Amino acid sequence: MASTSKAISNSAHQQGQTCIAFSRDGKIAYTGGLDTLVRIWHTDQGEDQEPEAAYEADEGITAVAAAEGCWLSGGHDSDVRKYIPGKAQFNGLVTSAAGASIRCLAVDPSGKRVAVASDELSVKIIDLDEITNVVILEGGHKKRIRKTTWHPSGSILTTSSSDGTIVAWNVSDTEAKVENVIDGVIPEVVDPESPEFMHDCSAVWHPSGQYFFAASRTHEIVAISRSTWTKSSSLSDPNTIGVTTALALSANGVYLASACKQEILVWSVQTKRVLWKYPGTQNAFTIQIAFSPTENLLAWTDTEGVLSRWRDAIPAGSPDPVRQTAASSAQGTTTKRKSTPPLWGEEPDAGAEGGDPYGDDWIIDDLGDGMEDEPEGAKAIRAGDGFVKEMVSITKAQPAFQPGSTPMENKKRYLAYNMVGVIEVTDQDTHHIVNVEFHDRSTRKGYHFTDHFKYDLGSLGERGALFACPPELDHVAQVIYKPYGTWSTQGDWTYALPKGQRVLGLAAGGERPMRSLRDPSSSGGDIQGQGNIVIATSSGDLTFLSGSGMERIVLGVEGEYVTMAAAEEYVLVVHRPGATTIDGSQSLVATLISFEDFQVLQEKPLPIPKGHTLRWIGTTDEGAPAIYDSAGYIHLMIHHRRPNRAAWARLMDTNLLERKQGKDESYWPVGLSQDTFMCLILKGRQDHPGFPRPLIQELPVRLPFRNQDPVDSPIEERIARERIHVNLARDALGDELTSSDIDKREVELDKQLLKLIQASCKADKAPRVIELVKRLHFPNSIAAASQLAGFYRLIGLQEKIEAIKLWREQNATPAEEAREARQGFAYEDAPLARPKPFQNFNPPPKVDRPGLTRSTGIVEQTEFTASNLAIRAGRSRAPQAPASRSTSPEGKRKRDDNDDDLSSNAFDVEVKRRAVCESDAVVPSPKPSACIAIQPGPA
Amino acid sequence: MALPQSLRTSVTPLELELIASEHLVEIVPLITMEKTAFISVRIEGAYGPLRPPAKCRVPLWMATNLKLKKKCHIVPPEWLSVDFLQERLTRETSRPEFSKLPFRFAEIAKVILDVASDDVQNADKIKSLLKDLREARQAKSRDGLQKLDHSELSLPNLCSMEINEIRPFFIQAMGILTQLVREPSAE
């Protein structure tokens, strides 16, 4: 209830159908009812006015309308009467409908013509200046017509029939034509006496003329596009369920008013969200709503015969419902925009006018200038009156959220829903019931408990469940951790925050248990610890705790915290370093922080398209970070173990899914494994799952490759996807080259590659074959490829493959190369030694020259040891260097240290001397390097 | 089977159920289990691994066993839904031929509805639909009796349980018909 002013209600007519229309200048409202009267209300007068009444009609009034220079009424007595404006003075009959009730009167935008819909199957368009000038629209309807409306241009008339069709007539010529029939949108109501017949089914045109709104049979409000005559978007609010009984647009098209049950809702047309609600009359439903054409006034009539007028329905501070604005004028001409500069500055709900932060499709965007509008508008303001501060956050910043949680709906919500299990909360008014259930009941035991703190955040980790409650009157914000496996509550601990601080997010990580945590005798769980806990607080920090409640570190967050998810050895934190950008980007950054020593492994901006938001973050079964956004993309962070070398690979585009085609559904991620995307499927406009708990669906992961070759493309996609996962698995191995599992997977990959090679050989595509052969992993596979080439009698190709095989045998295998490359990263990322100011005597950085053999120093064999002791010491060690270098980076570093010591520390001379002795002992021969070179030969 | 003992020469429905329990169904396991080999008539007798919450395809007998120990949820097959059965029922009643259903639908549906009716949405409605289907199809096979001829009988889309049901009577009837037809030609 944004508005503080009260609605003025007047009992105007007897119970039953009523109607309302504003005069063109907005000063007068005409209402009609079943009591045969039309009352004339002055909008500037209050509740105590005594309205004039027109008594001419014999039966109930069903429609009133105001035209240029007159007003009209029609009713069950089948006459349409004309009156002097503002007075109840009868001015002649306009038309008569041969015994059929008049159902609707619509005056065209110029105010010169009126369209009369009656129980006859035709619509008459009558020129008000010359009432014999009548156009009859026939042949479009088979049932009685309930409502009719004009397109703002006056060239299209839309009629809504009781058989559920809307017909659009082109009336620009003297001969009217049916332009389109829209079936299946508005409900079918056959019985004119039923209450449903009184509901508003008219097509309410937006002033831009690009689309109209109608109340659909599925209880939504749908927008139908003028160009395609199909549904372009819909408005529905989860909190209001029920049939829409009346609809009206404000004069400039910024707001839409609808009546639902006993409430009047005011929507923002652009964001499609309910902005305000007003209570209507009890035990009655509203039949017709009207916005005043000139004032901030909303009026409606209902089945009780009551006229309600709400002055200042749109609260001050929001865009005016009458004046033209950039948002309402579809053509978006800049001249109009200049007339309302304070719009951006005063707008409290930035989302209403700025970018739609939740990624619903735009209506105005259909015209292509919705997005571009805003920066221009903002610039104009900056030039004009310097509202720089206010214009910054035009894109609504995405609030902090817990992945896998839902809002409270019907007293139930999910606090967490992931691959471990589910935390369900049921609101019992005085307390909550928390139910923790696991997918794998053999490893962990589900439980439930009564919660008096009303936990609103939860995280389900591998080792324990974490909850947090907001501060309330008598208690501060606190976090409780319940590790699994302890069947008493002994293991639980709480962590209270100081007064005034809140918990924004939680994450519980930990190693995946190898054996059941249910078995009390197994100590396996205990020895691996109880995981790691991270708490994001409102004081802008991330607090790391161990699984037993020990505080480890408090890290500052560089900006605004958004969400986080914990894996086995790291936590993925998403934050917003600055503000959202003006063109709709959320500008979020993901940071990977290791639990071990709080190193930042990666810091990457999120690849979310403009105008979209982050929906979910989590980790795959293999431990790689993944995100899902409202545009429907899944991105996986590849190379996340290589410091600062990660990239976001687009793993899947859910819009391309086969099952999605032609369906209105969305996906709510739960988890991700190598080949499957685990999610809950949401129908229609649902944006989170409800109760009872839906089954997890498994969708196949497909890289969004664009080639459509039926045979090769799926194999190529599979190879590329498997490559990503093999690389991830190899990164996890550390310094080892490979594991049997990876070998197995590479053999599988080679098999797939050989299939492609065979296909290419068949098609005689030699370059492709060569490229594919280079991607093979094992010499045996290359041999097989060569055989394939031989089979297809491609002798030249076969020789080339043999050459590749030879070359591969002589050189390092790809796995070895990968290891070398990784060692290179380790060297580059090695912690920097603190340089001494101005005294950097370190050797110059190593230049890696992989193609050349290392130069080996020649040991001088003269016996002048005392004078050049230091030099000799260095040289004599040189032959050892290559060996130590290739074993591990540690060996190399040790050598560098020695060199440092050599130059700085006198104490070390002793050591050096010993080293010399040793080296002399080891290398007694005159030509040690030659010896070493020869030695392998005979052996 | 509404047949007298003398005519029950074919396998019993229980035996058919046993055969059908080799059929693979999807389950959502609630326990972890490695890939395990079982004695099975199938060549690949190893099922699993069970990794909740990922689904897994196991034979019906194993699903039943796990379900009775509350260690899994059975995901009903696509055809065991109100929409599908309703559509088949209307087709069954409006067209002369038998509509296409899985060959062992009766057995599988019975087993799943017996042990896992809580995993099936609208189990009661499905039960009544299955009953209607059975009656509609039974009426058709009775009609088919009139067209019975001595040499051949084609049974398109007839399911195992129904074939089993008509088998003893039809075979005997066809035998008699053969005799009747052959004798005039012999004369």
Side-chain angles (χ1 to χ4, degrees):
Chain A
M1 299 321 109
S3 176
T4 50
S5 63
K6 276 279 293 174
I8 308 168
S9 310
N10 287 91
S11 188
H13 299 281
Q14 78 177 56
Q15 287 183 7
Q17 190 171 8
T18 49
C19 51
I20 179 168
F22 275 103
S23 68
R24 299 233 137 198
D25 56 7
K27 288 186 177 149
I28 289 165
Y30 306 99
T31 62
L34 275 186
D35 52 2
T36 74
L37 303 181
V38 178
R39 292 189 193 274
I40 300 167
W41 306 84
H42 292 271
T43 55
D44 50 350
Q45 291 179 20
E47 214 164 333
D48 47 353
Q49 68 175 300
E50 188 56 49
E52 255 190 290
Y55 300 94
E56 278 75 15
D58 298 327
E59 286 178 60
I61 302 288
T62 54
V64 285
E68 200 71 31
C70 63
W71 63 269
L72 308 157
S73 78
H76 291 302
D77 61 357
S78 70
D79 288 337
V80 179
R81 295 179 174 80
K82 191 158 89 169
Y83 294 84
I84 303 279
K87 299 199 174 70
Q89 194 174 343
F90 183 54
N91 193 17
L93 271 182
V94 174
T95 183
S96 185
S101 300
I102 304 291
R103 293 293 174 192
C104 187
L105 297 174
V107 177
D108 84 336
S110 64
K112 301 285 187 206
R113 292 181 293 173
V114 62
V116 180
S118 65
D119 280 358
E120 297 171 314
L121 300 182
S122 59
V123 177
K124 286 181 203 164
I125 300 177
I126 301 158
D127 195 328
L128 286 169
D129 294 335
E130 181 50 64
I131 58 169
T132 52
N133 198 350
V134 178
V135 179
I136 298 179
L137 312 182
E138 278 179 310
H141 290 290
K142 295 186 180 64
K143 292 270 172 66
R144 57 165 64 91
I145 296 158
R146 291 168 62 195
K147 291 281 178 193
T148 173
T149 52
W150 287 92
H151 185 265
S153 69
S155 60
I156 294 173
L157 186 75
T158 39
T159 53
S160 310
S161 163
S162 53
D163 62 2
T165 57
I166 299 176
V167 174
W169 306 81
N170 188 340
V171 293
S172 49
D173 299 331
T174 47
E175 193 76 10
K177 292 193 296 285
V178 174
E179 186 158 323
N180 205 306
V181 179
I182 303 153
D183 199 359
V185 175
I186 57 166
E188 185 180 341
V189 183
V190 182
D191 178 15
E193 301 303 321
S194 69
E196 285 78 28
F197 193 82
M198 289 190 269
H199 293 177
D200 194 351
C201 63
S202 50
V204 182
W205 281 96
H206 190 264
S208 70
Q210 299 289 345
Y211 51 92
F212 66 78
F213 290 102
S216 79
R217 39 180 88 162
T218 54
H219 297 185
E220 287 174 327
I221 299 169
V222 295
I224 308 272
S225 160
R226 152 86 176 78
S227 49
T228 58
W229 299 113
T230 51
K231 179 179 146 183
S232 64
S233 60
S234 62
L235 283 75
S236 63
D237 186 60
N239 299 325
T240 50
I241 304 148
V243 59
T244 300
T245 55
L247 268 185
L249 270 168
S250 70
N252 61 1
V254 171
Y255 301 104
L256 176 77
S258 74
C260 183
K261 288 182 183 164
Q262 262 93 48
E263 276 181 332
I264 310 291
L265 313 173
V266 177
W267 306 70
S268 161
V269 167
Q270 202 159 44
T271 60
K272 306 185 185 67
R273 260 154 222 282
V274 173
L275 299 177
W276 305 286
K277 290 182 185 178
Y278 306 106
T281 315
Q282 287 296 314
N283 309 322
F285 63 85
T286 303
I287 307 171
Q288 200 166 14
I289 307 183
F291 271 100
S292 163
T294 53
E295 287 178 283
N296 184 357
L297 173 67
L298 186 64
W300 61 88
T301 59
D302 56 40
T303 47
E304 285 289 302
V306 175
L307 164 71
S308 306
R309 287 176 289 158
W310 197 296
R311 194 157 279 286
D312 297 327
I314 308 302
S318 304
D320 193 273
V322 178
R323 277 184 295 173
Q324 285 291 322
T325 63
S328 65
S329 73
Q331 280 71 33
T333 49
T334 39
T335 48
K336 278 177 184 166
R337 195 179 297 123
K338 272 179 194 145
S339 66
T340 56
L343 177 70
W344 308 99
E346 291 174 8
E347 175 59 69
D349 181 10
E353 287 298 319
D356 180 358
Y358 292 100
D360 298 325
D361 49 345
W362 289 54
I363 294 178
I364 295 193
D365 222 18
D366 297 345
L367 311 165
D369 61 356
M371 280 290 200
E372 285 87 331
D373 251 10
E374 295 145 18
E376 275 175 50
K379 263 181 242 150
I381 296 159
R382 193 188 304 165
D385 30 27
F387 279 143
V388 180
K389 227 185 210 166
E390 283 86 349
M391 55 148 261
V392 171
S393 59
I394 280 182
T395 306
K396 200 170 187 179
Q398 177 175 14
F401 71 99
Q402 273 302 100
S405 72
T406 66
M408 189 71 90
E409 191 172 277
N410 298 332
K411 301 209 160 193
K412 271 176 172 283
R413 67 179 288 194
Y414 297 107
L415 282 186
Y417 199 143
N418 59 17
M419 292 295 277
V420 176
V422 184
I423 306 178
E424 297 170 342
V425 169
T426 312
D427 188 359
Q428 304 272 13
D429 295 327
T430 55
H431 61 273
H432 286 175
I433 301 284
V434 179
N435 186 23
V436 183
E437 265 195 59
F438 300 101
H439 299 308
D440 182 359
R441 294 185 193 168
S442 57
T443 314
R444 308 176 186 90
K445 192 174 186 306
Y447 57 91
H448 59 89
F449 60 93
T450 313
D451 151 33
H452 294 283
F453 293 108
K454 302 202 172 178
Y455 299 126
D456 65 340
L457 293 170
S459 173
L460 210 50
E462 293 284 349
R463 295 277 161 177
L466 190 62
F467 302 91
C469 63
E472 265 189 40
L473 294 174
D474 49 340
H475 68 85
V476 292
Q478 61 182 27
V479 177
I480 181 164
Y481 187 59
K482 292 171 176 287
Y484 312 135
T486 45
W487 37 268
S488 65
T489 52
Q490 274 177 344
D492 298 2
W493 49 263
T494 54
Y495 178 72
L497 262 60
K499 217 168 179 167
Q501 289 189 11
R502 279 181 312 112
V503 180
L504 297 180
L506 295 173
E511 279 174 58
R512 201 161 291 177
M514 288 300 142
R515 47 208 289 200
S516 173
L517 294 173
R518 291 183 68 162
D519 184 8
S521 65
S522 86
S523 62
D526 299 336
I527 225 161
Q528 284 170 310
Q530 295 178 334
N532 291 289
I533 284 130
V534 191
I535 303 166
T537 69
S538 59
S539 66
D541 65 58
L542 292 176
T543 307
F544 286 71
L545 292 104
S546 76
S548 57
M550 187 172 71
E551 287 179 283
R552 295 182 64 203
I553 201 166
V554 180
L555 299 182
V557 182
E558 304 97 331
E560 206 178 328
Y561 165 83
V562 176
T563 188
M564 65 181 163
E568 281 194 17
E569 70 269 59
Y570 62 83
V571 59
L572 172 68
V573 183
V574 174
H575 73 282
R576 186 182 299 107
T580 57
T581 61
I582 215 159
D583 54 354
S585 168
Q586 289 285 337
S587 43
L588 300 177
V589 171
T591 314
L592 231 59
I593 303 171
S594 80
F595 283 132
E596 186 60 38
D597 43 9
F598 315 112
Q599 273 188 29
V600 172
L601 303 173
Q602 307 290 348
E603 190 153 20
K604 288 282 294 176
L606 295 187
I608 299 178
K610 280 173 186 166
H612 287 279
T613 51
L614 179 66
R615 283 285 164 89
W616 177 82
I617 65 168
T619 54
T620 65
D621 282 359
E622 291 79 29
I627 62 163
Y628 179 77
D629 57 41
S630 58
Y633 296 131
I634 301 172
H635 286 95
L636 180 76
M637 193 190 263
I638 56 170
H639 306 317
H640 67 277
R641 286 179 211 274
R642 304 184 186 168
N644 294 320
R645 274 180 184 75
W648 289 108
R650 186 165 294 174
L651 208 58
M652 201 171 159
D653 179 357
T654 54
N655 303 311
L656 300 179
L657 278 172
E658 249 169 59
R659 57 165 296 136
K660 167 123 189 192
Q661 303 315 319
K663 269 197 243 173
D664 189 10
E665 64 180 24
S666 57
Y667 307 97
W668 197 80
V670 174
L672 196 63
S673 69
Q674 239 180 63
D675 302 318
T676 47
F677 170 48
M678 313 264 194
C679 62
L680 307 180
I681 291 174
L682 307 176
K683 300 279 177 220
R685 288 182 56 82
Q686 254 185 315
D687 57 359
H688 49 81
F691 286 81
R693 188 154 21 117
L695 270 185
I696 296 180
Q697 302 289 327
E698 294 172 18
L699 302 178
V701 170
R702 291 280 172 273
L703 299 181
F705 283 180
R706 296 181 180 89
N707 279 347
Q708 294 295 327
D709 188 295
V711 185
D712 286 359
S713 300
I715 303 181
E716 283 172 16
E717 189 270 342
R718 209 176 312 148
I719 291 172
R721 182 150 44 87
E722 182 65 10
R723 238 351 315 153
I724 291 177
H725 290 295
V726 168
N727 278 340
L728 281 175
R730 180 162 280 153
D731 279 352
L733 283 180
D735 219 27
E736 297 142 52
L737 278 181
T738 184
S739 69
S740 60
D741 173 53
I742 290 181
D743 277 348
K744 228 181 273 169
R745 288 163 74 173
E746 283 184 339
V747 168
E748 283 304 311
L749 265 179
D750 278 5
K751 280 184 193 165
Q752 301 287 341
L753 280 165
L754 282 172
K755 270 189 205 167
L756 287 180
I757 289 172
Q758 191 199 357
S760 315
C761 281
K762 210 170 166 184
D764 205 5
K765 290 185 202 157
R768 187 171 148 95
V769 173
I770 301 279
E771 194 200 312
L772 290 167
V773 167
K774 282 185 182 164
R775 281 170 203 272
L776 288 170
H777 298 89
F778 296 100
N780 290 348
S781 323
I782 303 182
S786 133
Q787 275 175 9
L788 271 174
F791 177 80
Y792 285 100
R793 306 199 181 282
L794 303 167
I795 305 301
L797 191 60
Q798 194 177 10
E799 278 171 10
K800 280 180 195 160
I801 295 175
E802 287 296 332
I804 292 175
K805 193 181 163 195
L806 213 64
W807 173 72
R808 180 68 70 80
E809 278 164 358
Q810 284 165 355
N811 284 291
T813 62
E816 279 165 358
E817 276 169 21
R819 182 177 64 170
E820 264 174 37
R822 207 167 326 129
Q823 281 168 356
F825 301 151
Y827 176 77
E828 282 172 44
D829 298 320
L832 294 173
R834 196 166 37 167
K836 302 176 201 99
F838 311 115
Q839 291 186 43
N840 188 354
F841 298 117
N842 291 341
K846 185 186 82 168
V847 180
D848 199 28
R849 289 177 294 174
L852 301 174
T853 49
R854 271 175 224 292
S855 60
T856 46
I858 299 159
V859 177
E860 229 178 305
Q861 291 309 309
T862 46
E863 290 302 306
F864 305 112
T865 49
S867 62
N868 55 1
L869 175 99
I871 303 160
R872 277 187 50 200
R875 282 181 185 166
S876 63
R877 269 198 322 277
Q880 295 176 338
S884 69
R885 193 170 289 173
S886 63
T887 48
S888 75
E890 280 75 25
K892 171 174 57 62
R893 202 171 303 142
K894 197 157 69 190
R895 187 179 67 94
D896 292 347
D897 290 349
N898 285 350
D899 284 353
D900 289 351
D901 293 342
L902 180 68
S903 54
S904 61
N905 210 336
F907 154 79
D908 246 275
V909 175
E910 288 294 317
V911 184
K912 292 293 164 275
R913 196 165 288 149
R914 222 178 322 123
V916 171
C917 296
E918 276 168 15
S919 73
D920 284 345
V922 173
V923 197
S925 75
K927 282 194 177 244
S929 58
C931 263
I932 290 167
I934 292 160
Q935 263 166 3
Chain B
M1 288 214 316
L3 282 170
Q5 189 65 49
S6 58
L7 288 178
R8 287 189 198 174
T9 48
S10 56
V11 284
T12 64
L14 278 178
E15 286 161 340
L16 281 177
E17 207 176 284
L18 185 76
I19 296 168
S21 56
E22 277 297 330
H23 196 89
L24 293 185
V25 291
E26 267 194 340
I27 60 165
V28 176
L30 298 173
I31 53 160
T32 313
M33 195 177 83
E34 293 305 322
K35 194 172 172 109
T36 314
F38 295 98
I39 302 168
S40 165
V41 293
R42 283 171 182 274
I43 299 161
E44 73 290 11
Y47 302 107
L50 305 186
R51 292 272 177 275
K55 286 178 192 162
C56 186
R57 284 181 79 80
V58 297
L60 189 57
W61 59 264
M62 185 169 160
T64 316
N65 193 301
L66 287 173
K67 176 71 198 179
L68 290 176
K69 292 175 185 157
K70 294 198 171 70
K71 285 179 176 171
C72 78
H73 295 301
I74 298 180
V75 181
E78 221 164 82
W79 50 265
L80 197 63
S81 65
V82 173
D83 291 344
F84 185 93
L85 293 176
Q86 189 81 58
E87 186 255 318
R88 284 297 138 104
L89 182 62
T90 45
R91 214 188 277 183
E92 201 71 67
T93 47
S94 59
R95 295 196 194 163
E97 76 272 8
F98 287 94
S99 63
K100 187 152 178 55
L101 277 164
F103 185 63
R104 299 193 189 279
F105 85 94
E107 299 94 311
I108 295 168
K110 180 179 185 303
V111 172
I112 291 181
L113 287 172
D114 275 358
V115 300
S117 54
D118 51 333
D119 293 338
V120 185
Q121 280 187 340
N122 293 333
D124 294 338
K125 177 90 178 146
I126 285 179
K127 269 183 201 162
S128 76
L129 277 172
L130 283 168
K131 206 170 172 194
D132 292 349
L133 259 177
R134 178 187 141 79
E135 277 163 12
R137 291 170 76 99
Q138 220 171 14
K140 277 186 189 173
S141 43
R142 276 202 206 98
D143 283 348
L145 198 55
Q146 294 179 342
K147 296 171 201 146
L148 199 67
D149 94 37
H150 69 285
S151 61
E152 58 167 2
L153 177 67
S154 86
L155 308 162
N157 293 340
L158 219 60
C159 298
S160 69
M161 199 63 103
E162 292 152 355
I163 294 173
N164 190 44
E165 199 172 34
I166 62 171
R167 182 184 286 139
F169 182 76
F170 273 46
I171 288 176
Q172 211 167 4
M174 282 172 81
I176 293 170
L177 273 174
T178 316
Q179 279 177 0
L180 289 174
V181 170
R182 202 191 291 145
E183 275 167 21
S185 64
E187 277 175 17

